[in-house]
Amino acid sequence: DAGVTQSPTHLIKTRGQHVTLRCSPISGHKSVSWYQQVLGQGPQFIFQYYEKEERGRGNFPDRFSARQFPNYSSELNVNALLLGDSALYLCASSLGVGMNTGELFFGEGSRLTVL
Amino acid sequence: GQQLNQSPQSMFIQEGEDVSMNCTSSSIFNTWLWYKQDPGEGPVLLIALYKAGELTSNGRLTAQFGITRKDSFLNISASIPSDVGIYFCAGLMEYGNKLVFGAGTILRVKS
Protein backbone atom coordinates (compact mmCIF):
# COMPACT_ATOMS: atom_id res chain seq x y z
CA ASP A 1 0.00 0.00 0.00
CA ALA A 2 1.28 3.43 -0.89
CA GLY A 3 1.97 5.74 1.97
CA VAL A 4 1.87 9.51 1.88
CA THR A 5 3.71 10.75 -1.20
CA GLN A 6 5.19 14.21 -1.56
CA SER A 7 6.83 16.04 -4.41
CA PRO A 8 9.31 17.39 -5.09
CA THR A 9 11.66 15.80 -2.56
CA HIS A 10 14.23 18.59 -2.81
CA LEU A 11 14.15 22.04 -4.33
CA ILE A 12 16.17 25.23 -4.28
CA LYS A 13 14.60 28.66 -4.71
CA THR A 14 15.77 32.24 -4.37
CA ARG A 15 14.30 34.91 -2.17
CA GLY A 16 11.09 36.40 -3.52
CA GLN A 17 10.14 33.38 -5.59
CA HIS A 18 7.16 31.20 -4.88
CA VAL A 19 6.92 27.46 -4.44
CA THR A 20 4.21 24.81 -4.74
CA LEU A 21 4.54 21.55 -2.85
CA ARG A 22 2.28 18.58 -3.51
CA CYS A 23 0.98 15.74 -1.38
CA SER A 24 -1.09 12.62 -1.96
CA PRO A 25 -2.58 11.07 1.19
CA ILE A 26 -2.93 7.43 2.03
CA SER A 27 -5.85 5.88 0.16
CA GLY A 28 -9.02 6.29 2.20
CA HIS A 29 -7.69 9.19 4.25
CA LYS A 30 -9.67 12.38 3.90
CA SER A 31 -7.58 14.77 5.96
CA VAL A 32 -4.26 16.31 5.00
CA SER A 33 -2.10 18.43 7.25
CA TRP A 34 1.03 20.42 6.51
CA TYR A 35 3.91 20.92 8.93
CA GLN A 36 7.14 22.87 8.73
CA GLN A 37 10.22 21.39 10.36
CA VAL A 38 13.23 23.60 10.80
CA LEU A 39 16.53 21.83 11.44
CA GLY A 40 16.86 20.75 15.05
CA GLN A 41 13.21 21.30 15.96
CA GLY A 42 9.98 19.40 16.01
CA PRO A 43 7.41 19.91 13.23
CA GLN A 44 5.22 23.01 13.47
CA PHE A 45 1.60 22.95 12.31
CA ILE A 46 0.76 25.03 9.24
CA PHE A 47 -2.65 23.85 7.95
CA GLN A 48 -5.17 21.07 8.14
CA TYR A 49 -7.69 20.31 5.43
CA TYR A 50 -10.61 17.92 5.65
CA GLU A 51 -13.08 17.28 2.87
CA LYS A 52 -11.55 20.20 0.93
CA GLU A 53 -12.20 22.68 3.71
CA GLU A 54 -9.58 24.36 5.89
CA ARG A 55 -10.03 23.08 9.43
CA GLY A 56 -7.09 24.73 11.08
CA ARG A 57 -4.29 27.17 10.51
CA GLY A 58 -1.11 27.59 12.49
CA ASN A 59 0.79 30.76 13.24
CA PHE A 60 2.13 31.36 9.74
CA PRO A 61 1.86 34.48 7.58
CA ASP A 62 -0.56 34.88 4.70
CA ARG A 63 2.26 34.07 2.29
CA PHE A 64 1.42 30.46 3.13
CA SER A 65 -1.70 29.01 1.55
CA ALA A 66 -2.99 25.57 0.75
CA ARG A 67 -5.87 23.74 -0.81
CA GLN A 68 -7.27 20.24 -1.03
CA PHE A 69 -8.64 18.70 -4.17
CA PRO A 70 -11.65 16.37 -4.67
CA ASN A 71 -9.30 13.36 -4.71
CA TYR A 72 -8.00 14.54 -1.27
CA SER A 73 -4.55 15.44 -2.57
CA SER A 74 -3.24 18.80 -1.47
CA GLU A 75 -0.95 21.64 -2.42
CA LEU A 76 0.98 24.01 -0.19
CA ASN A 77 1.94 27.33 -1.72
CA VAL A 78 4.43 29.78 -0.30
CA ASN A 79 4.83 33.21 -1.90
CA ALA A 80 7.59 35.79 -1.59
CA LEU A 81 10.03 33.26 -0.15
CA LEU A 82 12.33 34.33 2.66
CA LEU A 83 15.57 32.72 3.80
CA GLY A 84 13.77 31.62 6.95
CA ASP A 85 11.35 29.51 4.92
CA SER A 86 14.14 27.00 4.36
CA ALA A 87 12.89 23.84 6.03
CA LEU A 88 11.54 20.35 5.57
CA TYR A 89 7.85 20.58 4.69
CA LEU A 90 5.94 17.55 5.84
CA CYS A 91 2.56 16.40 4.69
CA ALA A 92 0.55 14.09 6.92
CA SER A 93 -2.67 12.27 6.26
CA SER A 94 -5.27 10.95 8.65
CA LEU A 95 -8.69 9.37 8.44
CA GLY A 96 -10.46 12.43 9.76
CA VAL A 97 -10.17 15.02 12.47
CA GLY A 98 -10.23 14.89 16.26
CA MET A 99 -9.90 12.11 18.79
CA ASN A 100 -9.19 8.59 17.63
CA THR A 101 -8.61 9.81 14.12
CA GLY A 102 -5.66 11.89 15.22
CA GLU A 103 -3.03 9.40 14.13
CA LEU A 104 -1.06 11.26 11.52
CA PHE A 105 1.03 9.42 8.97
CA PHE A 106 3.78 11.52 7.46
CA GLY A 107 5.39 11.59 4.06
CA GLU A 108 9.14 11.89 3.65
CA GLY A 109 8.89 15.61 3.15
CA SER A 110 9.98 18.24 0.67
CA ARG A 111 13.30 19.84 1.55
CA LEU A 112 13.15 23.52 0.55
CA THR A 113 16.30 25.62 0.46
CA VAL A 114 15.93 29.37 -0.10
CA LEU A 115 19.06 31.20 -1.21
CA GLY B 1 0.63 28.63 22.76
CA GLN B 2 0.88 25.01 23.80
CA GLN B 3 4.34 23.64 24.42
CA LEU B 4 5.66 20.19 25.11
CA ASN B 5 8.83 19.83 27.15
CA GLN B 6 10.66 16.72 26.03
CA SER B 7 13.62 15.26 27.88
CA PRO B 8 16.35 14.35 27.69
CA GLN B 9 17.54 16.32 24.66
CA SER B 10 19.96 13.55 23.73
CA MET B 11 21.16 10.19 24.97
CA PHE B 12 24.23 8.12 24.14
CA ILE B 13 23.77 4.61 25.46
CA GLN B 14 25.31 1.17 25.20
CA GLU B 15 23.63 -1.43 23.02
CA GLY B 16 21.39 -3.61 25.17
CA GLU B 17 20.55 -0.88 27.66
CA ASP B 18 17.02 0.32 28.32
CA VAL B 19 16.03 3.87 27.37
CA SER B 20 13.47 6.16 28.91
CA MET B 21 12.29 9.56 27.68
CA ASN B 22 9.33 11.71 28.60
CA CYS B 23 7.18 14.67 27.69
CA THR B 24 5.39 17.11 29.94
CA SER B 25 3.02 19.95 29.24
CA SER B 26 1.08 22.62 31.07
CA SER B 27 -1.90 21.79 28.83
CA ILE B 28 -4.16 18.74 28.83
CA PHE B 29 -4.01 16.50 25.80
CA ASN B 30 -6.52 13.85 24.80
CA THR B 31 -4.15 11.93 22.57
CA TRP B 32 -0.43 11.33 22.87
CA LEU B 33 1.64 10.05 19.98
CA TRP B 34 5.27 8.98 19.77
CA TYR B 35 7.18 9.26 16.50
CA LYS B 36 10.69 8.31 15.35
CA GLN B 37 12.45 10.25 12.63
CA ASP B 38 15.53 9.12 10.74
CA PRO B 39 17.73 11.64 8.92
CA GLY B 40 16.16 12.92 5.71
CA GLU B 41 12.87 11.16 6.31
CA GLY B 42 9.48 11.98 7.75
CA PRO B 43 8.42 10.96 11.26
CA VAL B 44 7.13 7.40 11.61
CA LEU B 45 4.34 6.70 14.09
CA LEU B 46 5.44 4.30 16.86
CA ILE B 47 2.65 4.33 19.43
CA ALA B 48 -0.68 6.13 19.90
CA LEU B 49 -2.30 6.62 23.33
CA TYR B 50 -5.94 7.65 23.81
CA LYS B 51 -6.83 7.20 27.49
CA ALA B 52 -5.34 8.61 30.66
CA GLY B 53 -3.35 5.88 32.39
CA GLU B 54 -3.17 3.76 29.26
CA LEU B 55 -0.02 1.66 28.88
CA THR B 56 0.66 0.43 25.35
CA SER B 57 3.45 -1.70 23.92
CA ASN B 58 4.80 -2.14 20.42
CA GLY B 59 7.56 -4.75 20.47
CA ARG B 60 10.38 -3.41 22.63
CA LEU B 61 8.63 -0.05 22.96
CA THR B 62 6.27 0.81 25.81
CA ALA B 63 4.52 4.14 26.25
CA GLN B 64 2.16 5.47 28.90
CA PHE B 65 -0.42 8.24 28.91
CA GLY B 66 -0.10 10.10 32.20
CA ILE B 67 -3.03 10.17 34.62
CA THR B 68 -3.10 13.98 34.61
CA ARG B 69 -3.18 13.92 30.77
CA LYS B 70 -0.29 16.37 30.85
CA ASP B 71 2.55 13.91 30.37
CA SER B 72 3.67 10.75 28.63
CA PHE B 73 6.76 8.58 28.61
CA LEU B 74 8.35 6.17 26.18
CA ASN B 75 10.60 3.26 27.14
CA ILE B 76 12.75 1.23 24.78
CA SER B 77 14.05 -2.03 26.16
CA ALA B 78 17.28 -3.75 25.11
CA SER B 79 18.32 -1.08 22.63
CA ILE B 80 19.85 -2.05 19.31
CA PRO B 81 21.82 0.04 16.77
CA SER B 82 18.77 0.60 14.53
CA ASP B 83 17.04 2.43 17.40
CA VAL B 84 19.28 5.39 16.57
CA GLY B 85 17.25 8.43 15.53
CA ILE B 86 15.20 11.31 16.87
CA TYR B 87 12.14 10.51 18.96
CA PHE B 88 9.30 13.02 19.14
CA CYS B 89 6.31 13.14 21.40
CA ALA B 90 3.20 14.88 20.11
CA GLY B 91 -0.08 15.82 21.73
CA LEU B 92 -3.54 16.38 20.32
CA MET B 93 -6.03 18.47 22.28
CA GLU B 94 -9.73 17.69 22.59
CA TYR B 95 -11.44 18.33 19.25
CA GLY B 96 -8.03 19.46 18.13
CA ASN B 97 -6.90 19.54 14.60
CA LYS B 98 -3.20 19.97 15.07
CA LEU B 99 -0.43 18.02 16.73
CA VAL B 100 1.89 19.88 19.08
CA PHE B 101 5.37 18.36 18.97
CA GLY B 102 8.17 18.28 21.48
CA ALA B 103 11.68 19.29 20.41
CA GLY B 104 12.81 15.68 20.18
CA THR B 105 15.23 13.31 21.92
CA ILE B 106 18.29 12.30 19.92
CA LEU B 107 19.21 8.70 20.63
CA ARG B 108 22.65 7.32 19.84
CA VAL B 109 23.57 3.69 20.52
CA LYS B 110 27.09 2.36 20.99
CA SER B 111 27.50 -1.18 19.73
Side-chain angles (χ1 to χ4, degrees):
Chain A
D1 285 348
V4 178
T5 57
Q6 292 187 242
S7 63
T9 55
H10 296 81
L11 68 166
I12 299 174
K13 294 284 188 178
T14 57
R15 281 179 296 176
Q17 287 188 312
H18 81 273
V19 67
T20 297
L21 308 177
R22 296 178 176 83
C23 172
S24 292
I26 293 170
S27 177
H29 285 194
K30 297 182 178 181
S31 178
V32 169
S33 300
W34 288 94
Y35 286 76
Q36 181 195 64
Q37 186 176 23
V38 174
L39 199 62
Q41 297 182 18
Q44 296 288 318
F45 174 76
I46 309 175
F47 287 110
Q48 185 189 41
Y49 277 78
Y50 176 67
E51 291 283 13
K52 296 176 290 179
E53 290 189 4
E54 182 182 303
R55 289 301 190 95
R57 170 187 268 265
N59 189 23
F60 281 81
D62 291 344
R63 298 184 296 107
F64 289 76
S65 63
R67 55 179 175 167
Q68 187 177 32
F69 299 100
N71 66 354
Y72 303 111
S73 67
S74 177
E75 282 183 355
L76 175 70
N77 294 284
V78 187
N79 293 324
L81 285 167
L82 303 174
L83 295 179
D85 294 332
S86 295
L88 181 68
Y89 287 86
L90 294 163
C91 173
S93 79
S94 60
L95 283 169
V97 296
M99 281 182 64
N100 292 348
T101 59
E103 295 179 19
L104 265 60
F105 297 88
F106 286 86
E108 297 204 346
S110 293
R111 170 73 63 188
L112 171 64
T113 301
V114 182
L115 302 176
Chain B
Q2 304 89 22
Q3 271 196 315
L4 294 184
N5 300 307
Q6 189 171 348
S7 65
Q9 275 189 320
S10 65
M11 307 178 73
F12 194 11
I13 62 167
Q14 191 72 40
E15 182 178 359
E17 288 184 353
D18 297 343
V19 172
S20 184
M21 59 190 79
N22 67 80
C23 258
T24 61
S25 173
S26 57
S27 302
I28 290 175
F29 290 98
N30 275 25
T31 300
W32 282 93
L33 306 172
W34 285 91
Y35 287 87
K36 178 175 183 268
Q37 186 174 28
D38 293 327
E41 298 184 11
V44 174
L45 181 64
L46 299 174
I47 290 181
L49 302 158
Y50 296 106
K51 294 181 184 177
E54 178 181 358
L55 186 71
T56 297
S57 293
N58 178 9
R60 294 179 295 106
L61 277 61
T62 302
Q64 184 157 30
F65 193 145
I67 288 289
T68 64
R69 297 197 288 164
K70 293 182 179 181
D71 63 322
S72 177
F73 72 75
L74 175 71
N75 286 343
I76 305 173
S77 62
S79 58
I80 58 178
S82 62
D83 290 334
V84 165
I86 305 176
Y87 291 79
F88 290 98
C89 61
L92 183 70
M93 303 180 81
E94 186 173 11
Y95 306 117
N97 50 24
K98 68 173 184 179
L99 285 181
V100 178
F101 280 82
T105 294
I106 300 171
L107 178 63
R108 299 184 180 90
V109 179
K110 286 184 289 186
S111 55

